[in-house]
Amino acid sequence: MPETISLNIPLNGTWKFKTDPENLGECYPEELVRSFNLDCRYMDENYDDSAWNDISVPACWQAQGFQYNGAAWYRRRFDLPASASVESMNSACNKVLGGGKRFRLRFLGVDYFADVWINGFYLGSHEGYFAPFEFDVTEFIKPRDNLLVVRVDSPNDIRVKHSMDHEQKTLIKGALQDWDVNNLEVNPGGIWNDVELIVSNDIYIEKTRVDTEFELAESDPGVSDPDVATILATIDVFSAEGRPGTVCCEIKIQPANFQGEPIIHKTTLNVPVAKSRHTITIELPNPKLWWTWDLGTPNLYDIEVTISRADTVLDRFKTRFGIRKLSKGEGWATFLNGKRIFWRGSNYLSDQLLSNMDRARYERDVRLAREANMNMLRTFCVVEKPEFYDLCDELGILVYQDFPMQWRMARGSDLVRRAIPQMRDMVDLLYNHPSVAIWCFGSEPGRENFEKLGMALATECRRYDQTRLVQQANEYPNHWDILALKDKYKWDIDFHYYSGWYWGPVEELHSFDKAWFEVVTEYGAQALPCRESLERFIPEEDLWPPKWRTYKHHCFQEDLQLRWIPKPENLDQFIEDSQRYQAFFLKYHTEFYRKMKFQPCNGALQFCFNDCWPAVTWSVVDYYRKPKPGYYALKQAFSPIHVIADWPSDLAPGEPLDLGIYIVNDYLRPFPGLIVECRLLYRGSDKEQGEGILVASRSFLLDVAENSIIPGQRFHMEKLNEVGFYKLELTLKDENRTLSTNAYEFKVDPGVEKRDRR
């Protein structure tokens, strides 16, 4: 069929730009004194912008060198390409349609408030940094010399240097504005994502939302697919024809990343004036389910919806989806396609200036996470670009999606009214992504926000999206009276644990109620990046001896770091000791949680994956994407099948060594006949020298069931007399290959108090 479908005209490129700290741009001449009565009406077609700065769109204006917050103006002139002129398009379609074309101006991301004019006509306003929005400009567009003007206001919501202000935030910007991992002197602003003019027929598809339903026997071993899946395509159609009519609708569903035959479904839609919604049900035989990479294959489908009339295509809309089912059992028991899953992951914000990110950079990050054996990323109080979610779909990574609210927000009802539409925008934007598993509406929000703002958002979200898990907030123990609200709101809390950083030593974890470890969504310790990275943002004169003010401006908590490592004598030792401690911290915490798999722990998300600006933080990958040793410690501790021991304490001479050995298996397949090898090495007085002398070795055979944790045997030595350092090495293998390795160090020291082990 001949196609006259939508044409997207990019409006990116060089625009004119002017900051407006005094808010003169919308004033009329008579409102200003005579000396300044020409410094206004920036949206007028005759306004002279030749003295304005040039700026690239899309980009946060900070990325273009403008360290500014407040109102600013963008102007751009453009002509329609010949193929998009009203006259040429109308003549091509009038014979069949008896109508014309629509021109829609679409913005994919403006931070934060936007007011838009075209050719001197005001179009409207939008709030929120992440959601696309558009205006119909058909009656205002011209073939040549169109003027597009945008006023962007990205105000400083709070005084970032005043701690009490951080409890009064009214802008929904989350960790982009207020976070202990970002640059508090940068509050992003500007047209940071694409701008385009969409030319379509008078009847066009606004969006297509895909739901899937299927039956799967939970008793099936391993990964299996259902016999049939029901696809529900909800299609929003807009008609500007001015009269009701009908259109033919063809829906094609075909595999996107595997081989298979397409399914084509045809029907007729009755299209009234303006917007209409149509839900079409399609049976898909022998579907392939979407899984995380460790449980199966992240199978994806493309759905293409075409509407036509009289052999002419009116519009075509294509999107991608996956067939999967998420559910929650008792507490935080989480099921993907009927199989219980243990979360292994981290907290992620790509870059404080999101315009710096593109698909290649996102792919680098998501692959780094997957290579570290992670199956989930929590987007920390941020909505990322769509490319991030595309890659999580493709690579089989679940997303714990925060709404962009960090810590405490203002308590007024006005914020509730403004937040709920942005919640719907977030759900609409990400709805078809199978990777998105959880919506969360508060990161350590405090009682006031939890009971009002978080409650309103979570309640409305449960109505708006019934296919995902909804969490009202996450918290850390004893922050406020959370246990009382846990019962009142039937709130399954996912906790944050910082034993070994903010609190007591890592061993303090054993003092908490075991029931509080159902899901852990933050745990971490800071570490310096490598010297090469550090020298890129800390001035040479401030590196060593360290000028703490400079380090603190880059997020470093030197007082806490020096609680856990020896006082450094030089910069290289400082870097090495901080990185070694972080790696120890992450190994200890991660193994502690994994040994409680499903009893009661269902997952652990480390804080945080990467730096979103040049900084010294809890990240395991620095801003320049160089992994720290903590990254490799996580990679090992997150091995889907792993051998773990009880963490050995230092011993007094003559004390016994007695450690439990555990095998944790997150795969949906059993491993029969595995071999566990244990080797105890004595390394003398210097643990850094040589492999050591073999003191004892043990090995045993065991069968490991799918998705389980089992205690193997105990590694026991009646007593250790030799003073010095020891290393316990563990190897898990089958008859062909090594599946996992692990190691623990401890010492025998006369200074250790001998314990009564009766």
Side-chain angles (χ1 to χ4, degrees):
M1 292 188 294
E3 296 187 357
T4 56
I5 56 176
S6 300
L7 172 67
N8 287 26
I9 302 170
L11 296 178
N12 297 338
T14 302
W15 293 45
K16 304 302 287 186
F17 178 78
K18 178 180 175 62
T19 60
D20 187 13
E22 298 177 283
N23 288 308
L24 301 180
E26 282 197 80
C27 291
Y28 288 89
E30 58 269 25
E31 295 180 286
L32 302 178
V33 298
R34 57 185 176 274
S35 299
F36 301 98
N37 62 10
L38 296 181
D39 297 334
C40 60
R41 307 307 294 164
Y42 296 164
M43 75 293 292
D44 282 357
E45 292 182 278
N46 295 324
Y47 181 87
D48 181 7
D49 61 17
S50 59
W52 286 21
N53 293 293
D54 289 340
I55 195 169
S56 293
V57 171
C60 298
W61 60 52
Q62 288 87 351
Q64 297 288 300
F66 297 94
Q67 301 307 317
Y68 167 78
N69 280 97
W73 291 75
Y74 292 77
R75 286 169 59 101
R76 181 197 164 136
R77 294 187 182 273
F78 66 94
D79 298 333
L80 293 181
S83 60
S85 68
V86 178
E87 295 84 356
S88 66
M89 288 188 299
N90 283 349
S91 63
C93 64
N94 277 345
K95 295 178 182 178
V96 175
L97 304 179
K101 292 286 180 175
R102 309 307 298 175
F103 292 80
R104 289 173 287 145
L105 184 64
R106 176 181 290 170
F107 296 84
L108 298 189
V110 179
D111 191 350
Y112 179 76
F113 297 101
D115 289 272
V116 184
W117 291 258
I118 193 164
N119 297 328
F121 293 96
Y122 181 65
L123 300 177
S125 185
H126 180 265
E127 176 184 357
Y129 83 86
F130 62 84
F133 60 97
E134 65 180 47
F135 302 102
D136 191 315
V137 296
T138 305
E139 61 182 297
F140 310 117
I141 204 77
K142 301 184 297 185
R144 289 171 296 280
D145 197 29
N146 292 283
L147 174 66
L148 175 57
V149 181
V150 185
R151 179 186 185 271
V152 179
D153 189 8
S154 181
N156 278 323
D157 192 23
I158 57 173
R159 297 174 301 170
V160 296
K161 298 179 182 179
H162 296 257
S163 60
M164 294 307 295
D165 279 22
H166 289 247
E167 300 190 8
Q168 301 299 323
K169 297 188 292 289
T170 62
L171 303 185
I172 299 169
K173 298 186 69 166
L176 296 179
Q177 178 188 26
D178 179 26
W179 193 25
D180 48 3
V181 183
N182 70 11
N183 184 352
L184 288 176
E185 295 184 304
V186 170
N187 176 16
I191 304 175
W192 67 272
N193 212 340
D194 297 332
V195 184
E196 57 190 11
L197 184 68
I198 303 170
V199 189
S200 69
N201 287 283
D202 275 345
I203 300 178
Y204 58 86
I205 301 169
E206 287 190 336
K207 66 180 179 182
T208 298
R209 180 165 163 163
V210 182
D211 289 288
T212 64
E213 297 176 356
F214 60 90
E215 296 294 330
L216 186 65
E218 294 188 8
S219 60
D220 287 351
V223 174
S224 60
D225 294 317
D227 295 329
V228 66
T230 301
I231 311 299
L232 295 95
T234 301
I235 307 163
D236 287 355
V237 179
F238 188 89
S239 172
E241 285 191 314
R243 63 184 184 277
T246 61
V247 296
C248 298
C249 178
E250 178 182 288
I251 300 175
K252 181 167 74 171
I253 299 173
Q254 62 184 5
N257 59 353
F258 63 95
Q259 296 296 314
E261 294 298 318
I263 296 292
I264 297 177
H265 179 89
K266 296 182 179 181
T267 188
T268 300
L269 305 181
N270 294 313
V271 180
V273 176
K275 184 174 180 177
S276 58
R277 176 164 289 177
H278 312 266
T279 299
I280 299 170
T281 302
I282 303 167
E283 298 297 309
L284 180 66
N286 303 313
K288 290 188 177 295
L289 301 182
W290 185 93
W291 296 91
T292 53
W293 66 268
D294 52 333
L295 300 189
T297 302
N299 297 299
L300 295 168
Y301 288 86
D302 287 328
I303 182 169
E304 185 177 86
V305 181
T306 303
I307 55 174
S308 60
R309 182 188 289 161
D311 293 333
T312 298
V313 173
L314 301 176
D315 201 8
R316 178 171 290 132
F317 187 98
K318 186 175 181 179
T319 189
R320 187 162 286 183
F321 71 98
I323 302 172
R324 61 100 176 95
K325 183 179 294 184
L326 289 162
S327 58
K328 189 165 171 278
E330 183 178 353
W332 265 110
T334 309
F335 296 85
L336 175 62
N337 302 329
K339 299 296 182 181
R340 196 166 179 180
I341 184 170
F342 188 94
W343 314 353
R344 305 184 310 273
S346 188
N347 290 257
Y348 177 77
L349 192 162
S350 60
D351 196 296
Q352 191 174 358
L353 302 179
L354 289 175
S355 62
N356 289 338
M357 296 301 293
D358 56 23
R359 181 179 168 91
R361 291 178 177 178
Y362 277 125
E363 184 168 5
R364 169 199 59 194
D365 288 355
V366 178
R367 287 195 180 278
L368 271 172
R370 177 167 158 166
E371 288 166 8
N373 293 312
M374 297 180 184
N375 61 16
M376 178 179 279
L377 288 171
R378 174 189 173 199
T379 46
F380 190 92
C381 300
V382 67
V383 177
E384 294 282 350
K385 279 186 171 181
E387 292 89 336
F388 167 76
Y389 303 95
D390 291 341
L391 284 157
C392 289
D393 292 344
E394 295 166 20
L395 295 175
I397 303 288
L398 286 171
V399 176
Y400 179 123
Q401 178 61 55
D402 278 352
F403 189 62
M405 299 190 307
Q406 160 66 346
W407 293 327
R408 292 167 179 79
M409 306 289 289
R411 303 179 191 177
S413 299
D414 177 66
L415 181 56
V416 176
R417 289 187 288 269
R418 290 168 39 228
I420 286 177
Q422 292 199 49
M423 177 277 294
R424 296 192 190 106
D425 287 341
M426 177 181 73
V427 173
D428 286 341
L429 181 66
L430 304 180
Y431 192 85
N432 290 338
H433 289 281
S435 58
V436 178
I438 300 167
W439 308 116
C440 182
F441 295 98
S443 177
E444 301 175 0
R447 179 172 190 149
E448 297 84 357
N449 283 162
F450 176 85
E451 291 208 276
K452 186 172 185 178
L453 181 58
M455 176 67 179
L457 287 165
T459 301
E460 178 61 21
C461 187
R462 290 187 183 100
R463 287 196 290 262
Y464 201 64
D465 180 6
Q466 299 179 25
T467 69
R468 293 178 171 89
L469 311 183
V470 177
Q471 176 69 327
Q472 196 159 323
N474 48 56
E475 266 294 352
Y476 59 83
N478 304 318
H479 190 188
W480 37 279
D481 191 15
I482 53 179
L483 295 184
L485 297 190
K486 173 180 170 64
D487 296 332
K488 176 180 177 179
Y489 289 92
K490 298 180 174 59
W491 177 27
D492 296 317
I493 309 171
D494 50 313
F495 278 116
H496 305 163
Y497 287 95
Y498 285 93
S499 297
W501 188 253
Y502 288 118
W503 311 338
V506 292
E507 293 83 2
E508 180 186 58
L509 288 171
H510 296 272
S511 68
F512 290 101
D513 187 334
K514 189 176 179 180
W516 289 13
F517 293 107
E518 282 203 64
V519 161
V520 178
T521 46
E522 287 186 32
Y523 63 100
Q526 289 192 345
L528 292 156
C530 67
R531 185 174 187 133
E532 178 186 352
S533 294
L534 197 63
E535 289 175 343
R536 294 178 69 172
F537 63 89
I538 301 292
E540 182 179 0
E541 62 272 17
D542 295 347
L543 275 170
W544 192 265
K547 187 174 181 179
W548 292 129
R549 179 180 295 174
T550 302
Y551 278 79
K552 287 176 77 71
H553 285 178
H554 289 269
C555 305
F556 190 45
Q557 298 175 343
E558 88 290 346
D559 53 336
L560 293 173
Q561 182 76 87
L562 295 175
R563 282 178 61 188
W564 305 111
I565 65 173
K567 184 177 180 180
E569 297 181 358
N570 55 63
L571 181 59
D572 290 331
Q573 181 196 351
F574 194 17
I575 293 170
E576 181 180 354
D577 286 351
S578 75
Q579 292 183 347
R580 181 187 290 116
Y581 179 76
Q582 183 193 55
F584 155 75
F585 175 104
L586 294 175
K587 174 181 169 69
Y588 192 100
H589 272 255
T590 305
E591 292 187 353
F592 179 83
Y593 306 133
R594 293 199 73 190
K595 284 196 298 182
M596 292 190 291
K597 174 173 175 163
F598 302 158
Q599 300 175 9
C601 190
N602 294 280
L605 306 182
Q606 170 265 347
F607 184 90
C608 57
F609 186 69
N610 64 288
D611 289 325
C612 64
W613 75 296
V616 183
T617 77
W618 298 259
S619 71
V620 293
V621 177
D622 71 28
Y623 181 70
Y624 309 104
R625 281 8 186 214
K626 294 182 180 297
K628 303 174 186 178
Y631 170 87
Y632 299 103
L634 270 181
K635 179 178 180 177
Q636 183 185 54
F638 276 152
S639 297
I641 185 164
H642 197 34
V643 56
I644 302 172
D646 291 329
W647 201 280
S649 301
D650 291 341
L651 303 174
E655 281 197 285
L657 177 69
D658 187 59
L659 303 174
I661 308 295
Y662 308 83
I663 312 300
V664 59
N665 177 21
D666 291 347
Y667 289 120
L668 296 182
R669 63 180 186 271
F671 288 82
L674 294 188
I675 304 166
V676 179
E677 295 179 348
C678 310
R679 300 172 72 237
L680 182 64
L681 303 171
Y682 175 64
R683 308 180 74 183
S685 60
D686 187 353
K687 65 178 180 179
E688 303 299 333
Q689 289 187 2
E691 180 178 324
I693 301 169
L694 182 64
V695 175
S697 64
R698 307 278 191 274
S699 64
F700 50 90
L701 295 172
L702 48 79
D703 296 329
V704 179
E706 70 168 61
N707 207 15
S708 65
I709 182 166
I710 62 168
Q713 294 186 11
R714 302 196 71 81
F715 184 87
H716 182 80
M717 296 285 294
E718 191 60 37
K719 59 182 178 179
L720 291 175
N721 293 318
E722 291 292 332
V723 172
F725 292 96
Y726 290 79
K727 183 179 184 181
L728 177 65
E729 294 182 340
L730 305 176
T731 303
L732 178 68
K733 59 185 182 181
D734 60 19
E735 59 183 11
N736 298 314
R737 61 194 173 113
T738 296
L739 301 174
S740 170
T741 61
N742 209 339
Y744 301 85
E745 295 181 348
F746 65 97
K747 64 183 177 181
V748 174
D749 186 346
V752 174
E753 183 178 350
K754 198 166 185 177
R755 283 153 288 189
D756 184 355
R757 298 180 181 272
R758 289 176 296 176

